[in-house]
Amino acid sequence: MSIKKKFYSNLSYALVAQLISMVISIWVNLILPKFLGVVDYSYWQLFIFYSQYMPFLHFGLNDGVYLRYGGIPFDKMNKSIIKSQMLAGFVWQLSFCIILCLGSSLIVDDTNRLMIIIAAGCCFLFFTLQNYLGYIFQAANETSWFSKGIILNRIFFLTIIVIILCQKQYSFWPYVYGYIFAQIVSLFYSAYKAQSILWTKISAFKKTIFEVYKSVLVGGKLMLANIASMLILGVGRFFIDLNWGILTFGKISFSIALAVFLLTFVQQFGMVMFPALRQISLDKQKNIYELIRTGLLLFMPIIFIVFFPFVYLLSNWLPEYSTSFKYLALLLPVCFFDTKMQILFNTYLKVQRKENVLLSINVVALVISLIFCLLGAYVFEDVKIVVVGMVLAIAVRSLIAELYLNKFVDSVRLFNVIQEFIIVYAFIYVAWSKSLIVGFFIMILLYLMFVAINFKKFTEWKNQIYFAS
């Protein structure tokens, strides 16, 4: 199969997987709050929050394998080394997980919070094995296998949610158990596709340790970059939970979940693009970069129009979350800027093996977010400052990454960046100061003006897409 056909095949499975994931997200973030109540939903969000960070206990092993083997066909990989690293990683991850759970039992007084930590630890052990194999599939450009595992996971979880709702269970715990079970299902599928790895002999102990060391050395930088990236929002949520309590944490987390709906979908483009870009020439990489960058410039502002009817419908469905919808107006730019980061900037920095640059950019953004968190929590005691800091940090990160990568494509398009920041600022102002109906029509007018200014660019982009296909 040609690289182009392989790309479209992988992309189609990835999109199907994320369409199903979006359906699940709608159920979890729009249906569950209606049935669980604010407190139980907040604990559910806490479980998801902890589950997002525990996987970093692999210390970059998965990321290192992904980078080291990226672009190598599956049948040409050294499966003995791959299996040995996976087993070594699982042993130390299990050890750290046990230590974490035992330590938490000594210092955490809230029973629900302690049990959530233990449940997140169990979920982590299944997830990290599935994630390791998934990274191998992605590195080998067999991302359709990884996507099918996600599809199974999401379908099982959706089925479980429906069954639980039909039984009128109003506690968050059955959903936690269902989430873990769905993870086990996807692990079994990945294990089935990776039989040639799992049934091979393991390497010698010394060689295994050496290979683990190399993978962690390479992947550690990418892992730290990913941790810093997640903490840009995560540190804000931590301070909100610490200073304003579980209910405010739940409402802000609800806003963040709504704001990043699209991100779960667009991340798959980056996943599919990475191994494909590693196999094409530098000139083609530059052409694809320009094509995607222009497409994002032209179409991403549409989310600021969709916001108004979306919030109108949700306000009638979940009136108790009215505060969350107000913060959503501040947080939606996270989706705008992070979409570019996930699809384009992260992917190209990985392709160029610029993990140090990616880490530095994310650390700068994290420091900005942390500063605003400290100001908002301990100086002004205003949660809005924490939220604004998270958004500003994401925006600055996107800007720095774009300016850096402009050197790669030998062009500086500051006018594009200025346009984007203007339309983001206009949206925030309109969303906070105008009614939904007035804001809706103002944003339509602004977008039509934006299209008129960039009409020539849109025509050129459309022609490029036509000839590229």
Side-chain angles (χ1 to χ4, degrees):
M1 187 183 293
S2 67
I3 294 176
K4 188 174 182 180
K5 288 183 178 179
K6 188 76 170 179
F7 174 80
Y8 285 120
S9 174
N10 287 334
L11 182 60
S12 63
Y13 278 109
L15 294 181
V16 169
Q18 290 313 305
L19 282 172
I20 295 174
S21 293
M22 286 183 69
V23 171
I24 299 295
S25 296
I26 292 171
W27 270 84
V28 170
N29 294 302
L30 301 184
I31 304 298
L32 290 193
K34 188 73 173 179
F35 291 91
L36 287 184
V38 177
V39 175
D40 274 86
Y41 181 75
S42 297
Y43 276 119
W44 162 257
Q45 284 289 339
L46 193 65
F47 167 73
I48 296 299
F49 181 56
Y50 290 159
S51 298
Q52 287 176 335
Y53 289 93
M54 279 195 179
F56 290 113
L57 289 173
H58 62 62
F59 297 123
L61 174 65
N62 296 10
D63 301 286
V65 168
Y66 176 62
L67 291 173
R68 290 180 63 199
Y69 293 94
I72 300 176
F74 188 72
D75 57 352
K76 294 184 179 179
M77 288 183 172
N78 188 330
K79 295 180 174 59
S80 177
I81 288 296
I82 291 174
K83 177 182 177 180
S84 300
Q85 291 183 78
M86 181 182 72
L87 293 177
F90 180 74
V91 169
W92 91 55
Q93 290 153 20
L94 176 62
S95 302
F96 274 103
C97 192
I98 292 172
I99 293 171
L100 177 64
C101 292
L102 290 176
S104 299
S105 67
L106 298 176
I107 60 176
V108 177
D109 296 327
D110 185 340
T111 302
N112 273 330
R113 193 177 291 264
L114 174 60
M115 294 304 296
I116 285 172
I117 293 173
I118 295 172
C122 294
C123 184
F124 155 69
L125 293 176
F126 297 118
F127 171 81
T128 191
L129 287 173
Q130 191 273 337
N131 183 250
Y132 182 92
L133 296 175
Y135 269 32
I136 292 296
F137 298 157
Q138 292 176 56
N141 205 18
E142 297 291 352
T143 51
S144 63
W145 296 353
F146 177 72
S147 298
K148 289 174 184 177
I150 293 177
I151 291 172
L152 278 175
N153 181 308
R154 301 289 83 190
I155 288 175
F156 268 86
F157 187 48
L158 178 59
T159 304
I160 291 168
I161 288 176
V162 173
I163 293 172
I164 295 171
L165 288 175
C166 289
Q167 293 179 344
K168 298 182 179 180
Q169 291 282 343
Y170 300 120
S171 167
F172 69 94
W173 279 113
Y175 301 97
V176 171
Y177 302 143
Y179 187 91
I180 296 173
F181 178 74
Q183 192 63 60
I184 295 172
V185 170
S186 60
L187 171 59
F188 273 107
Y189 173 79
S190 296
Y192 170 74
K193 298 301 292 185
Q195 290 181 73
S196 58
I197 294 176
L198 300 181
W199 291 108
T200 193
K201 294 180 179 180
I202 61 174
S203 300
F205 180 76
K206 287 185 178 180
K207 187 173 184 180
T208 298
I209 296 302
F210 178 68
E211 291 294 330
V212 167
Y213 170 77
K214 288 200 297 185
S215 293
V216 170
L217 191 64
V218 170
K221 297 173 186 176
L222 182 56
M223 183 203 68
L224 290 174
N226 290 335
I227 291 177
S229 175
M230 293 181 67
L231 283 176
I232 296 171
L233 296 179
V235 72
R237 295 173 71 185
F238 171 78
F239 275 96
I240 290 168
D241 180 34
L242 186 65
N243 291 274
W244 286 279
I246 189 69
L247 292 181
T248 302
F249 171 85
K251 291 181 178 180
I252 298 295
S253 294
F254 180 61
S255 298
I256 293 175
L258 294 177
V260 300
F261 259 152
L262 185 61
L263 289 178
T264 60
F265 184 78
V266 301
Q267 284 174 348
Q268 302 310 300
F269 283 91
M271 177 190 76
V272 175
M273 284 170 58
F274 174 75
L277 288 171
R278 289 284 292 266
Q279 300 177 41
I280 63 177
S281 67
L282 185 62
D283 288 337
K284 287 184 178 179
Q285 289 180 14
K286 291 181 179 181
N287 291 337
I288 292 172
Y289 179 92
E290 289 280 16
L291 200 63
I292 296 174
R293 178 65 187 90
T294 303
L296 292 173
L297 170 71
L298 297 173
F299 295 107
M300 277 304 297
I302 293 175
I303 65 172
F304 297 134
I305 298 174
V306 175
F307 166 85
F308 295 96
F310 184 66
V311 167
Y312 174 78
L313 294 173
L314 287 184
S315 297
N316 289 285
W317 175 249
L318 297 169
E320 65 270 30
Y321 284 87
S322 57
T323 305
S324 298
F325 303 137
K326 202 67 178 175
Y327 286 116
L328 180 58
L330 291 177
L331 286 165
L332 195 59
V334 167
C335 177
F336 181 85
F337 290 112
D338 222 23
T339 294
K340 291 194 299 178
M341 193 72 193
Q342 297 296 338
I343 290 182
L344 204 56
F345 307 148
N346 271 359
T347 304
Y348 271 84
L349 288 171
K350 291 175 187 176
V351 169
Q352 296 180 46
R353 294 301 307 274
K354 299 293 184 181
E355 295 89 12
N356 285 333
V357 174
L358 184 59
L359 174 59
S360 300
I361 293 172
N362 284 334
V363 168
V364 169
L366 175 57
V367 170
I368 293 173
S369 180
L370 182 59
I371 290 171
F372 275 84
C373 287
L374 294 172
L375 289 174
Y378 301 113
V379 179
F380 298 101
E381 297 183 351
D382 188 346
V383 72
K384 289 195 293 293
I385 294 176
V386 177
V387 174
V388 169
M390 293 190 289
V391 177
L392 182 63
I394 292 288
V396 170
R397 180 181 69 164
S398 176
L399 175 62
I400 296 173
E402 180 159 9
L403 293 177
Y404 179 86
L405 282 170
N406 276 338
K407 301 175 183 178
F408 167 72
V409 293
D410 303 320
S411 66
V412 178
R413 309 209 187 290
L414 285 178
F415 182 62
N416 293 346
V417 176
I418 292 171
Q419 286 186 92
E420 289 176 336
F421 273 86
I422 289 174
I423 202 165
V424 167
Y425 176 79
F427 164 75
I428 293 175
Y429 174 77
V430 168
W432 270 75
S433 62
K434 307 296 180 182
S435 66
L436 291 177
I437 186 68
V438 172
F440 177 65
F441 285 107
I442 289 176
M443 290 311 300
I444 288 178
L445 180 61
L446 286 175
Y447 184 68
L448 290 176
M449 293 171 59
F450 175 78
V451 170
I453 293 171
N454 294 281
F455 185 75
K456 181 179 179 182
K457 191 173 296 183
F458 175 79
T459 304
E460 293 173 351
W461 180 85
K462 184 176 66 173
N463 292 334
Q464 288 175 326
I465 287 288
Y466 175 78
F467 287 115
S469 60

